[in-house]
Amino acid sequence: MSPEQAELKSVEVDTRTDVYSLGALLYELLAGVPLFDTHELLKAGLDEVRRAIREKEPVRPSAAVGLMPLISWSALQSAVNFSHPN
């Protein structure tokens, strides 16, 4: 949900919502985590979720990358061996 949608002032969804959605998707692909903590948002009520979307600044992607779980060496090696068999 884009900040414009969270305001509930406009019935129409326009290009800004599409751009925000693409940005949120790109953020998650690059950082490995969503823009906002989903567990925190699920605990909050709808009004709190809307407020968070409108007012909270997400963690910068460069800082969020450190939150990604690390891939174990054996998993990485297995992927390489699968992609490039001897």
Side-chain angles (χ1 to χ4, degrees), residues 22-73:
L22 284 172
L25 180 62
L26 181 60
Y27 180 100
E28 190 165 350
L29 287 171
L30 292 173
V33 294
L35 277 172
F36 299 103
D37 183 12
T38 52
H39 298 294
E40 183 181 309
L41 291 179
L42 287 173
K43 290 179 189 176
L46 182 58
D47 289 334
E48 179 61 25
V49 170
R50 289 180 38 243
R51 186 197 66 74
I53 291 170
R54 286 190 321 265
E55 298 173 7
K56 276 184 155 180
E57 286 293 322
V59 177
R60 298 183 81 145
S62 57
V65 169
L67 300 174
M68 254 190 337
L70 297 175
I71 299 173
S72 70
W73 177 252

